[in-house]
């Protein structure tokens, strides 16, 4: 999934940027009515899984906060496209790394910026426009074979959290609560392996809250992670909104070709 690549991207670029800076500075009919009456009512889990975005969903905005690498963007299922944005402070430097990706089917563009960097830090000066990536030059990088797939319509892994949940109940209309087992949804990368180990049995019943909008679509999903070992308590929150108003994604008209510096950065 793109989120796994974004996590890797943040880790690699943060590490590379830290090294460079240190070197320089030291997402009815009647028949139908009768059938529905005879069918069992959907469970809370089924209701929530049905509320998760899929390929029929309109373009929407997503924001993932907490987890190993917070990121945000737009998912456009009809256009088989997405954007992914990540912004992180580089440890022990005045630099903030900003990295954006635009993926349309199998084509990829990126924007990378080092805010707060000074000329003596040795970091490349990159254009502010979208830079198109040549797949022939991305071998051995975290963007190798990056492309849009159906798995990208749920960037916050809400379906995994709900599928691993227990005792889900509707507390008020559109609001649901229960617990989720983080050991069964490790692909969501909500916590690191070390934190998962430190949580122990607590990881199997972490508080989960889910809210759906008036159209029965996921609005937010929140996981409240308790403190474990040296790790403080934290919150993982997924927000899906602007359904239908986020706007479709298009090929950038003024894109430029990525330079050798960009490919070097993407390889870490």
């Amino acid at each position: 999934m793109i989120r796994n690549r974004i996590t890797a991207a943040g880790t690699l670029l943060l590490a590379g940027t830290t090294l460079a800076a240190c070197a320089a500075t030291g997402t009815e009919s009647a028949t139908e009515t009768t059938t529905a009456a005879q069918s069992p009512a959907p469970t809370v889990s089924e209701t929530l899984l049905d509320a998760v975005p899929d390929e029929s969903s309109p373009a929407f905005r997503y924001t993932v906060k907490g987890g190993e690498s917070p990121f945000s963007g737009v998912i456009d299922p009809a256009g088989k496209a997405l954007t992914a944005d990540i912004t992180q402070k580089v440890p022990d430097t005045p630099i903030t790394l900003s990295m954006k990706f635009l993926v349309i089917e199998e084509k990829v563009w990126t924007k990378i910026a080092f805010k707060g960097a000074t000329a003596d830090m040795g970091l490349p000066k990159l254009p502010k426009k979208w830079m198109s990536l040549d797949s022939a030059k991305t071998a051995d990088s975290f963007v190798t074979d990056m492309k849009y797939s159906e798995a990208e319509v749920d960037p916050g892994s809400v379906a995994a959290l709900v599928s691993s949940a227990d005792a889900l109940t509707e507390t008020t209309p559109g609001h649901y609560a229960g617990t989720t087992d983080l050991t069964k949804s490790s692909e969501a990368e909500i916590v690191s392996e070390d934190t998962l180990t430190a949580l122990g049995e607590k990881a199997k019943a972490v508080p989960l809250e889910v809210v759906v909008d008036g159209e029965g679509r996921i609005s937010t999903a929140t996981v409240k992670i308790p403190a474990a070992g040296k790790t403080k308590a934290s919150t993982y929150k997924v927000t899906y909104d602007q359904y239908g108003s986020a706007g479709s994604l298009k090929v950038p008209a003024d894109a430029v070709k990525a330079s050798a510096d960009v490919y070097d950065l993407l390889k870490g």
Side-chain angles (χ1 to χ4, degrees), residues 19-202:
L19 288 173
C22 287
T25 63
T27 190
E28 56 188 88
S29 66
T31 300
E32 290 173 336
T33 302
T34 301
T35 301
Q38 294 174 343
S39 301
T43 64
V44 171
S45 180
E46 290 170 339
T47 296
L48 292 178
L49 287 174
D50 190 52
V52 174
D54 58 25
E55 284 298 298
S56 67
S57 299
F60 65 95
R61 173 84 181 170
Y62 71 89
T63 304
V64 180
K65 295 182 178 181
E68 294 208 69
S69 284
F71 67 115
S72 61
V74 170
I75 303 291
D76 178 11
K80 298 186 183 302
L82 63 83
T83 61
D85 307 345
I86 180 172
T87 301
Q88 291 187 358
K89 183 76 172 60
V90 180
D92 304 317
T93 77
I95 303 170
T96 297
L97 167 67
S98 173
M99 182 169 55
K100 303 174 185 289
F101 287 97
L102 167 62
V103 181
I104 301 178
E105 296 187 347
E106 297 186 1
K107 296 184 181 296
V108 183
W109 295 261
T110 189
K111 288 182 180 181
I112 301 173
F114 303 101
K115 299 177 182 178
T118 55
D120 62 343
M121 290 182 175
L123 294 170
K125 188 177 174 82
L126 302 174
K128 295 182 179 181
K129 295 180 179 181
W130 283 109
M131 297 175 286
S132 61
L133 297 178
D134 182 347
S135 60
K137 299 180 180 180
T138 57
D140 301 322
S141 76
F142 61 83
V143 296
T144 300
D145 298 326
M146 181 183 282
K147 61 184 178 181
Y148 180 86
S149 72
E150 292 184 9
E152 311 306 341
V153 295
D154 181 21
S157 299
V158 176
L161 294 172
V162 172
S163 296
S164 304
D166 186 39
L168 283 170
T169 58
E170 186 173 18
T171 55
T172 58
H175 292 68
Y176 302 83
T179 62
T180 189
D181 185 345
L182 296 182
T183 67
K184 294 181 179 179
S185 56
S186 58
E187 73 274 14
E189 296 186 342
I190 293 176
V191 297
S192 66
E193 287 295 328
D194 289 343
T195 300
L196 197 62
T197 299
L199 283 169
E201 290 300 307
K202 290 182 180 179

Side-chain angles (χ1 to χ4, degrees), residues 64-67 190 221-226 232-238:
V64 180
K65 295 182 178 181
I190 293 176
T222 306
V223 179
K224 296 183 179 179
I225 306 160
K232 297 180 180 180
S234 60
T235 300
Y236 173 82
K237 184 174 182 178
V238 180

Side-chain angles (χ1 to χ4, degrees), residues 59-60 74-76 242 244-250:
F60 65 95
V74 170
I75 303 291
D76 178 11
Q242 297 182 34
S245 63
S248 59
L249 299 174
K250 306 293 184 182

